[in-house]
Amino acid sequence: MEPVIRTAAAEDAAALLNIYAWYVEHTAITFEYTVPSPAEFRRRISRTLEAYPWLCAEQDGKLLGYAYAGPFAERAAYGWAAEVSIYLAREARGQGLGRRLYEALEACLKAMGVLNLYAKAAYPQADDEYLTRNSVEFHRHLGYRTAGEYIACGCKFGRWYNLACMEKCIGAHRENPAPVRPYSEVKRPE
């Protein structure tokens, strides 16, 4: 049976946090040092869902990963841009689930009127046991391009890592665009 992609709920926080915790504790994929509390993670999901999608993939009652979006920047002129992120359970990687989650997220954002997607990917100068270049390659494979790179901007596990900034345009940039609609007003994945 194929995983179902659906909108996450606050009740999913513990299972999704379990996926994220491994990345915090064992990788430099996230620059977060401490695993958030379940209450904090639930708050992150709820706050995101006020305006943006937070999707999860579920198979046989088990959550296998999630992808979400948020504002790219706070100024009004950035309203048609969103920052995206994704995390998969270790056993779910390499099976096309990341692509499916990002495609569903992209469809939601497009329906909202978002035109530009941005992703930040931690990037090692050379692959090591905490970080490889896989995230950047994953995004390139999905049509993102590297827009820039911050050099040695994050330190985790005593090592300095770069941050690749990637972008993808998903819509036409017309004059006087309609405002972006909140996620609550678009068709959600079931």
Side-chain angles (χ1 to χ4, degrees), residues 5 53 55 69 84 99-114 117 144 168 170 181 183 186-189:
I5 295 176
L55 306 180
V84 297
R99 172 184 279 284
R100 287 192 57 220
L101 267 168
Y102 252 15
E103 286 173 349
L105 184 67
E106 186 176 309
C108 292
L109 292 166
K110 199 173 211 175
M112 291 169 57
V114 171
L117 304 181
Y144 287 75
K168 180 179 181 179
I170 61 169
R181 299 183 314 166
Y183 180 57
V186 301
K187 184 177 183 321
R188 296 175 177 222

Side-chain angles (χ1 to χ4, degrees), residues 19-32:
I19 292 169
Y20 182 62
W22 184 83
Y23 289 95
V24 174
E25 294 172 336
H26 301 283
T27 78
I29 288 171
T30 174
F31 284 171
E32 196 157 12

Side-chain angles (χ1 to χ4, degrees), residues 130-145:
Y130 302 114
L131 187 64
T132 67
R133 295 180 174 126
N134 287 352
S135 184
V136 168
E137 294 307 317
F138 167 77
H139 284 87
R140 281 189 186 137
H141 186 69
L142 295 180
Y144 287 75
R145 72 171 195 90

Side-chain angles (χ1 to χ4, degrees), residues 35 40 62 74 81 88 104 106 108 115 128 154 169 188:
V35 176
E40 166 59 18
K62 181 176 181 180
E74 294 302 319
L88 297 179
E106 186 176 309
C108 292
L115 302 175
D128 64 31
C169 293
R188 296 175 177 222

Side-chain angles (χ1 to χ4, degrees), residues 42-63:
R42 190 175 316 105
R43 187 187 66 74
R44 290 179 187 184
I45 293 170
S46 295
R47 188 178 64 203
T48 297
L49 287 171
E50 289 173 6
Y52 290 93
W54 185 310
L55 306 180
C56 59
E58 182 177 18
Q59 185 174 32
D60 299 325
K62 181 176 181 180
L63 293 175

